[in-house]
Amino acid sequence: ICTFEIASSNMDKKVYIYISLAVCYLFLIINAIIPILISYSYKFSTSYFFTPKLMENLYLFLSNETCYIKFKSYLRRINGNPSLLLKLYSDIMSYKLGYKLELNNELGFAEALNIKNEFFGNNNKANIPDNLLEKIKNDCKSLDNNSFDKDMFDEALKYCYSELQNLFEDFKRTEGFKNLQKEFYLTSYIHSKMCNVGLINKF
């Protein structure tokens, strides 16, 4: 509706024009402005429902708290205490996530320093091969100059994931894993039934 139409119309037509304009602006506010304002005040959940199919992937498996605890308790019963590999993996992933989220530089540096001192100092707690340990220590030398980056522990992360993957394959053959799988199948079945009858939201 242009200004010329409003000016040239008689009073009866002007009422309809103003009503049309008011409705159009109302729709604009509802569809555009309100969602933007709500996005500042509400925190949207990015969580997902954990299904039994996700248990086959180690990364996704470890993203679930129940699965993580079960796997950790399994590792503690193995000679050599490979649960330290899981702790190192978790610490590095936490550090990388914090770096991605642009946390405070001091916190990031302190976290990197803790990882270096705990696992790559004089005590090789995670039993990392010597040649790889030397390479990681060289990558960590930047911490002496108060500088750090998100990729500095990548070699250790690859090693941990590879070792944990082998241990995970053994864990999948245990009764503990099968029982855990049954629990998730039951939970998934109940969740899908509740979705189908509208008791909970699918998403």
Side-chain angles (χ1 to χ4, degrees):
I1 300 169
C2 63
T3 310
F4 176 76
E5 285 180 296
I6 297 173
S8 61
S9 301
N10 58 39
M11 198 61 196
D12 292 337
K13 285 186 179 177
K14 280 183 182 178
V15 173
Y16 293 113
I17 291 169
Y18 289 137
I19 291 171
S20 298
L21 281 171
V23 170
C24 287
Y25 277 108
L26 180 64
F27 285 152
L28 176 65
I29 291 167
I30 291 170
N31 294 321
I33 297 170
I34 291 177
I36 293 169
L37 294 174
I38 288 173
S39 70
Y40 286 104
S41 57
Y42 284 91
K43 300 294 181 186
F44 295 102
S45 174
T46 56
S47 61
Y48 58 91
F49 183 72
F50 194 83
T51 64
K53 286 184 180 179
L54 301 180
M55 293 178 70
E56 296 299 320
N57 182 284
L58 176 61
Y59 175 77
L60 295 173
F61 181 83
L62 292 176
S63 70
N64 181 274
E65 186 179 2
T66 306
C67 295
Y68 182 92
I69 291 167
K70 287 278 186 184
F71 189 49
K72 187 176 181 181
S73 64
Y74 166 76
L75 293 179
R76 280 179 174 166
R77 296 194 296 269
I78 299 174
N79 292 334
N81 200 8
S83 61
L84 287 170
L85 281 173
L86 183 60
K87 186 178 186 313
L88 176 57
Y89 171 83
S90 303
D91 288 353
I92 294 173
M93 290 298 287
S94 173
Y95 165 75
K96 288 175 79 69
L97 180 62
Y99 197 99
K100 195 75 175 173
L101 294 174
E102 297 179 0
L103 291 177
N104 184 308
N105 273 347
E106 290 179 8
L107 289 175
F109 178 75
E111 197 170 355
L113 205 57
N114 284 339
I115 293 170
K116 180 197 169 188
N117 292 337
E118 186 174 357
F119 294 99
F120 311 121
N122 297 327
N123 205 356
N124 185 5
K125 289 167 66 177
N127 293 324
I128 294 170
D130 292 337
N131 57 338
L132 180 60
L133 186 64
E134 285 304 313
K135 189 177 187 313
I136 296 165
K137 282 182 176 179
N138 287 333
D139 293 339
C140 292
K141 281 182 179 175
S142 58
L143 289 169
D144 297 335
N145 301 320
N146 292 333
S147 64
F148 60 98
D149 63 83
K150 69 179 176 68
D151 301 326
M152 64 191 306
F153 299 115
D154 277 6
E155 291 299 322
L157 187 65
K158 287 176 190 174
Y159 173 77
C160 287
Y161 190 85
S162 174
E163 292 295 309
L164 289 171
Q165 181 66 52
N166 295 332
L167 293 163
F168 181 60
E169 292 301 322
D170 295 333
F171 176 60
K172 285 199 288 187
R173 291 189 283 270
T174 64
E175 282 300 316
F177 180 82
K178 288 171 185 173
N179 292 335
L180 191 61
Q181 207 169 30
K182 285 175 186 174
E183 286 177 30
F184 279 108
Y185 269 117
L186 179 61
T187 308
S188 184
Y189 175 77
I190 293 168
H191 186 270
S192 64
K193 286 294 181 186
M194 291 177 77
C195 284
N196 290 338
V197 297
L199 289 174
I200 56 175
N201 194 331
K202 279 186 182 179
F203 308 105

